[in-house]
Amino acid sequence: LDTTLAMAFSPGDAAMPVYLLIASIFNSIFFYRSIKDVRSKEIAVSGAPSIALLLTAISEFVWVLPCFIQCFLVFVLGHDGDWAPEREASGCDVQGFYSQLGSVSGMLSTLVLALLTLRIARSQRMPSTSQMLVISGAVFALSLLVSVLPFMGAGNYSYSGEGFCYIDWYDNTSSAIMLTIVIPTFLAVISIDVAALANGWWPRLLIVCMALAFVSAWCLWIPAAFIGLSGGTFPDGYMITGAVLGHAQALINPLLYGIWWRKTLLKKSARQAVTAG
């Protein structure tokens, strides 16, 4: 049998396309609902909150959909082709690009939502629609810039050895850039969530889940950068564990922010309006 055909339709390659198909459906609904909220002028989530939710939905969608397509191609065509992540000059670069784009924009969009969460809790004025559009544009501009740098000789994408491509942690530039983004964002999100938790406006469980979701997604990337910079060895399963935790955000964020956070804001705003009336 041809090697490509022999590797096609491997049971081991089936799980990821199925998961990503489900995640794509979740994020399509999240995206659609966020668009409707942005266009609405009468509900509590319109304006800044709806744009922040849309930013989060897009941040997931930019990697979920292409990853589904690429993983589906691997499943039906096998690993012996330019679409496969093992091909470092083609499939790997493509996967590394959209993975880093989704990672950076996902981290930063979570930071934006955390800031809005705290401002709402403190009854502070929301950014205007134009300001939020500028912020969202800046998030994607920075994410895109960081993600194209490896194609310009600053950084590198490489095969992890555990089924996917991402930044080359042993490349000093790639690891340094990731650390520069992850550490300040990590500290800021956790600090803001703690402040929101102390405020008491939002349900405590919601804020705790927001913090846990963020920590679980990116906690392994900080030591990964230090391991790479020091030339150390990654434990077996480290990379795939990080990938699983990151991929989980594709289901967590639509539920956490697209449903729970949004529903809470609508309910509490409605109660405040009744009380004020």
Side-chain angles (χ1 to χ4, degrees), residues 169-202:
W169 294 106
Y170 290 106
D171 181 272
N172 290 342
T173 301
S174 292
S175 287
I177 290 174
M178 186 59 73
L179 272 181
T180 301
I181 296 171
V182 175
I183 291 181
T185 306
F186 201 94
L187 294 175
V189 169
I190 299 305
S191 299
I192 294 167
D193 284 345
V194 169
L197 187 65
N199 179 276
W201 192 90
W202 294 88

Side-chain angles (χ1 to χ4, degrees), residues 136-178:
S136 299
V139 165
F140 276 110
L142 176 60
S143 303
L144 183 62
L145 174 62
V146 169
S147 301
V148 299
L149 285 177
F151 300 122
M152 302 165 64
N156 187 45
Y157 294 124
S158 67
Y159 184 62
S160 66
E162 297 185 357
F164 69 97
C165 284
Y166 198 63
I167 66 170
D168 182 357
W169 294 106
Y170 290 106
D171 181 272
N172 290 342
T173 301
S174 292
S175 287
I177 290 174
M178 186 59 73

Side-chain angles (χ1 to χ4, degrees), residues 72-97:
F72 181 75
L73 288 174
V74 170
F75 175 61
V76 299
L77 299 176
H79 293 258
D80 190 18
D82 290 339
W83 55 83
E86 293 89 343
R87 295 296 183 94
E88 297 217 352
S90 52
C92 185
D93 283 344
V94 170
Q95 188 170 76
F97 168 75

Side-chain angles (χ1 to χ4, degrees), residues 179-251:
L179 272 181
T180 301
I181 296 171
V182 175
I183 291 181
T185 306
F186 201 94
L187 294 175
V189 169
I190 299 305
S191 299
I192 294 167
D193 284 345
V194 169
L197 187 65
N199 179 276
W201 192 90
W202 294 88
R204 296 176 65 86
L205 182 59
L206 172 58
I207 300 299
V208 169
C209 287
M210 288 168 57
L212 289 177
F214 183 82
V215 170
S216 68
W218 311 115
C219 62
L220 293 183
W221 275 185
I222 295 175
F226 284 113
I227 291 173
L229 288 171
S230 65
T233 301
F234 288 95
D236 291 341
Y238 189 98
M239 286 299 167
I240 193 61
T241 300
V244 168
L245 292 173
H247 278 62
Q249 302 305 301
L251 292 183

